[in-house]
Amino acid sequence: MKGMSTKTIGFAVAEQDMERLDRLTAKFGSGNRSAFLREAMRQMETVERAQRLAKLQAYGAERSAAAGL
């Protein structure tokens, strides 16, 4: 990504998770852990939006039922 400012951060991965990380990185990040992390963040944001939508739908259904609709 042209012009993208980056910062190196560190985090620990348990030894038993390394094979899984490498497999997922190969599949979803083309072997690049930074690309994998960006994709994982995009996916988690999708999950976050779906959870918010489900809460809003539940609230709307509750309000509709309370109003007799």
Side-chain angles (χ1 to χ4, degrees), residues 15-45:
E15 187 68 34
Q16 66 265 21
D17 291 332
M18 286 302 301
E19 184 178 323
R20 189 168 116 193
L21 175 61
D22 290 341
R23 175 179 51 82
L24 293 170
T25 296
K27 182 170 183 174
F28 297 106
S30 300
N32 181 307
R33 288 183 180 159
S34 294
F36 167 73
L37 180 58
R38 285 189 295 274
E39 180 58 29
M41 289 189 302
R42 277 191 289 274
Q43 294 297 322
M44 290 299 96
E45 285 174 334

Side-chain angles (χ1 to χ4, degrees), residues 46-63:
T46 299
V47 169
E48 181 182 39
R49 283 191 300 273
Q51 289 172 339
R52 280 196 321 259
L53 178 59
K55 285 181 183 178
L56 287 170
Q57 288 174 325
Y59 174 77
E62 179 185 303
R63 298 299 300 157

